[in-house]
Amino acid sequence: MTFHPSLGLAGAALVLSGCAISGSAAATSPTSTASATEVPSCPPASVRVDTTAELKSALSNASPGDVIALDDGTYAGPFKISADGTTDRPIYLCGGPGAVLNGGGIDTSYVLHLNYASDWRVLGFTVRNGGKGVMADGAKRVVIGGLTVTRIGDEGIHLRRYSADSLVIGNDISSTGLRQAKFGEGIYIGSAQSNWCTVTSCKPDRSDRNRIIGNQISATTAESVDVKEGTSDGEISENHFDGSGLIEADSWVDVKGNDWKIVGNVGTQSPQDGFQTHEILDGWGGGNRFVANHAQVDGPGAGFVFEPRLDNILSCDNTASGAAEGLANVDCIQ
């Protein structure tokens, strides 16, 4: 499977070549330079499954270095992963788009739940028909890459409960928010302050240093990417956002965390603004840097809106078209 970022996004094409690729199960860190430009390949399978029972058994018994390969077919979920890989021997779960993890309905639970499971590579297959698509709780150094995530009740991919140092790359996410439109984000990082006492013992959900690279996100009812207060030092780069389905959001990207880099993204059909920052909580919503993004805005807003500006930076290589209010509500910086 080859993923081609559309509309002339910068950088190389993202490639996922299936589970028949030769090589070791060892992999570079998901935050490494190599991982930033392409979906990792799958090493040779150590376990091959073609039934739901076999998949659940393989996930339950997974150990560092395992490569679990999904044959084409439908697997009846939900599925939970609790085993850990290691940094030098991650665990792989790989399949093509014809391998479908089906959650059983948009009113059910998570289709795939990485439950305090670190050092996994989840690659290439289809996730559909669940309350949430892929949920990572307390997961570190995870790669979620090349998936097709569709027909989801709430958000498509969510990293929370201190899930950190992970990479969400080359996924095709669509048709979220079918159960609750206001929770239909494509990719959701962290937790809202109002949920911290439920999710992280009343402390900020420091789901930090996560990277969102080269994803196609469309037909979401809420933001394509929602970055919550409490998160820091992440990156959103070379993604394509189609806002034609937005009904519970007024921008593709809403950054409420600190010190994120938003680089080289292209958005179309926004109902109001393109990219936004917000200060939901004192000390959060600043230090974010927007570079070389393009916003096609079809609504009454601007390409970029910082509320308030704080120390967020808008470089002058960002562009906007169709925006009634122009490029931004702040001056750009050369």
Side-chain angles (χ1 to χ4, degrees):
M1 171 179 135
T2 302
F3 171 84
H4 298 285
S6 65
L7 297 186
L9 294 182
L14 306 174
V15 179
L16 175 65
S17 301
C19 292
I21 301 300
S22 61
S24 166
T28 57
S29 163
T31 56
S32 71
T33 300
S35 296
T37 57
E38 62 181 32
V39 178
S41 297
C42 296
S46 58
V47 179
R48 183 169 290 279
V49 302
D50 63 6
T51 68
T52 297
E54 289 176 350
L55 174 55
K56 290 189 173 182
S57 176
L59 296 176
S60 296
N61 295 304
S63 60
D66 281 355
V67 180
I68 303 167
L70 300 165
D71 285 343
D72 284 356
T74 299
Y75 300 82
F79 298 93
K80 182 181 285 188
I81 295 172
S82 298
D84 285 326
T86 63
T87 54
D88 59 341
R89 300 186 70 208
I91 304 171
Y92 286 77
L93 177 62
C94 301
V100 180
L101 272 55
N102 189 317
I106 62 172
D107 293 321
T108 59
S109 185
Y110 319 139
V111 181
L112 181 63
H113 188 194
L114 290 144
N115 187 38
Y116 294 91
S118 295
D119 296 298
W120 277 77
R121 308 288 183 264
V122 178
L123 305 173
F125 48 88
T126 295
V127 173
R128 64 180 294 128
N129 200 29
K132 302 178 191 293
V134 180
M135 173 67 80
D137 280 318
K140 307 293 195 298
R141 299 173 302 279
V142 166
V143 178
I144 301 169
L147 302 183
T148 300
V149 180
T150 190
R151 290 202 51 78
I152 302 299
D154 298 331
E155 66 270 22
I157 296 174
H158 190 168
L159 308 184
R160 70 174 184 186
R161 281 197 172 98
Y162 308 120
S163 291
D165 298 301
S166 293
L167 179 64
V168 180
I169 182 168
N171 302 285
D172 189 336
I173 302 167
S174 65
S175 297
T176 62
L178 301 182
R179 174 173 62 173
Q180 299 182 90
K182 66 180 180 179
F183 299 137
E185 295 88 351
I187 299 173
Y188 191 111
I189 306 296
S191 305
Q193 180 200 12
S194 58
N195 292 324
W196 288 352
C197 287
T198 300
V199 174
T200 49
S201 301
C202 301
K203 298 177 181 178
D205 185 348
R206 299 303 299 262
S207 292
D208 294 340
R209 298 175 303 281
N210 294 304
R211 308 183 76 187
I212 301 167
I213 311 291
N215 300 280
Q216 297 267 15
I217 306 176
S218 63
T220 65
T221 54
E223 291 89 353
S224 298
V225 179
D226 193 0
V227 174
K228 290 302 185 183
E229 57 274 18
T231 68
S232 299
D233 300 311
E235 180 179 350
I236 304 168
S237 294
E238 298 186 8
N239 302 281
H240 178 253
F241 312 122
D242 179 342
S244 58
L246 295 179
I247 58 176
E248 288 286 345
D250 55 6
S251 66
W252 310 297
V253 174
D254 193 346
V255 180
K256 309 174 192 77
N258 288 348
D259 302 317
W260 280 72
K261 296 184 294 183
I262 301 91
V263 180
N265 302 282
V266 173
T268 61
Q269 301 189 73
S270 170
Q272 181 167 320
D273 301 319
F275 301 82
Q276 297 177 343
T277 68
H278 288 98
E279 184 185 34
I280 300 299
L281 183 65
D282 286 349
W284 294 101
N288 302 294
R289 184 177 182 90
F290 293 75
V291 178
N293 302 284
H294 177 69
Q296 176 196 312
V297 177
D298 295 324
F304 302 81
V305 173
F306 299 166
E307 294 182 338
R309 174 153 196 163
L310 300 177
D311 56 348
N312 294 301
I313 295 173
L314 180 73
S315 69
C316 291
D317 55 5
N318 292 283
T319 57
S321 60
E325 298 296 327
L327 177 64
N329 70 332
V330 299
D331 292 334
C332 66
I333 297 173
Q334 295 287 355

